[in-house]
Amino acid sequence: MLFWAVLSVAPAVQATQLSAEEYYTVEEYQKKHPAQLRTMMRFQTLVRGGATPVTRNLPHIRIAFIHPGVQASDYWQRSAASFKARMDELGLRYELLEFRSRPTLDVRLQEQQLREALQADPDYLVFTLDVGRHKKMIEQVLERGRPKIILQNITTPLRSWEDRQPLLYAGFDHISGTRLLADHFMLNRPQGGTYAMLYFSQGYVSTMRGDTFKAFVHPHWKLAGTYYTDGIRAKARQATLDILSSQDVDLIYACATDTALGAAEAMEQTGMQGKVLLNGWGGGSAELQALLAGKLDVTVMRMNDDNGVAMAEAIRLDLEGRPHEIPVIFSGEFVLVRKDIGHDTLEYLKKRAFRYSGWDDSGTGHLTESNTAAVPSQ
């Protein structure tokens, strides 16, 4: 237990960026480990199906769930809600310690939360990996071998962890989602154009969603400028105002929900809505409402709740002594959604994407409430 209490913390936390070369893409990992493809496909079928309750007495477990859910994107909250709902349907006995924070800005808080979570000696840890400090934090746990780790919102295994990968990488492949957006703009504007890039923060998400977009659309689309927003709506709004006042662009490419919503506010303020293209990224409650209001032109919508289901099913398989049935990567499905989408089609997609976390008829996203221990961010 001493290790949990003395998890090392750097005097000054640096939200350093990991390079793309440090990861395997999904395709690269499948090529290096061809047997994983079949395991991934079987697991996908398990996740998309209904729950099959356990039939034997499995141990009561403790799970530490640390996520940056304090943001406009409801991906993290819905993933937690669907995880808990599937765990309950499976009939697993568990205690959940849930900790929330802001993305990137709260790296020091996340370290504090990790120390507190590990002091409770959990059997499983659900965490994420976006910046360099996360990597160092995770490596300390991997070296000890307990708790078993599930990493959310990342589907690209680290090359340096080849011999000691976490139990599961769970999420929606950022490269695949970005490719859908890039293909959409290339198809609808084959003559190309000029765009500005609104990055999230200096980390994994910006690399995978932003830098890959630049590569996909080059040389047909010309990059006019890049801005880091730290996922803060006000920063994205100001960056967009600066762009619109000084440059002639056809598209503002946003790497995240808060970034897209801040840009939409600036475009509405300047009367540029409908004149400059703007995308969302993720297709959660806030984005779909903005899309239907004409504030966004297009987004990639995750079949969100499959993420939480995948984590629950991985734990179930592990407890049943079937870890060989757990793939290293679970990568969920995306659907491209345009602002002119039909009502019936959108309702169908919402029911699929939010099958556990819910959606009410008024169009306002509804998340299932739960009674879990939580340490919110300040």
Side-chain angles (χ1 to χ4, degrees), residues 85-98:
R86 186 69 163 213
M87 292 284 287
D88 293 340
E89 283 190 353
L90 291 172
L92 297 175
R93 297 178 299 140
Y94 66 98
E95 175 189 356
L96 186 67
L97 306 174
E98 187 175 355

Side-chain angles (χ1 to χ4, degrees), residues 135-160:
K135 178 176 181 285
K136 295 178 182 178
M137 293 154 67
I138 295 163
E139 284 176 342
Q140 293 182 68
V141 181
L142 286 173
E143 288 171 3
R144 301 292 299 189
R146 177 179 173 83
K148 295 181 180 180
I149 300 175
I150 295 174
L151 292 181
Q152 275 201 91
N153 201 36
I154 173 172
T155 61
T156 50
L158 263 69
R159 297 178 185 272
S160 61

Side-chain angles (χ1 to χ4, degrees), residues 10-21:
V13 174
Q14 295 290 327
T16 54
Q17 184 171 355
L18 297 170
S19 68
E21 290 74 23

Side-chain angles (χ1 to χ4, degrees), residues 25-27 154-156 171-179 204 208 281 330-332 334:
T25 66
V26 175
E27 293 80 6
I154 173 172
T155 61
T156 50
F172 299 82
D173 182 29
H174 302 286
I175 297 174
S176 297
T178 300
R179 184 180 288 114
Y204 174 82
M208 295 300 174
W281 220 110
F330 168 79
S331 183
F334 286 103

Side-chain angles (χ1 to χ4, degrees), residues 277-345:
L277 297 170
L278 174 64
N279 68 285
W281 220 110
S285 309
E287 283 193 12
L288 294 181
Q289 291 175 45
L291 199 77
L292 293 174
K295 297 178 181 180
L296 300 178
D297 293 281
V298 64
T299 191
V300 280
M301 183 179 180
R302 297 174 283 224
M303 298 297 101
N304 197 108
D305 290 3
D306 285 356
N307 184 68
V309 172
M311 295 188 292
E313 290 290 352
I315 290 175
R316 181 250 183 92
L317 290 173
D318 188 56
L319 290 173
E320 291 182 333
R322 300 155 61 190
H324 59 283
E325 297 181 36
I326 306 171
V328 173
I329 305 166
F330 168 79
S331 183
E333 181 185 358
F334 286 103
V335 176
L336 189 83
V337 180
R338 297 165 36 144
K339 64 182 179 182
D340 59 355
I341 188 172
H343 176 270
D344 292 345
T345 302

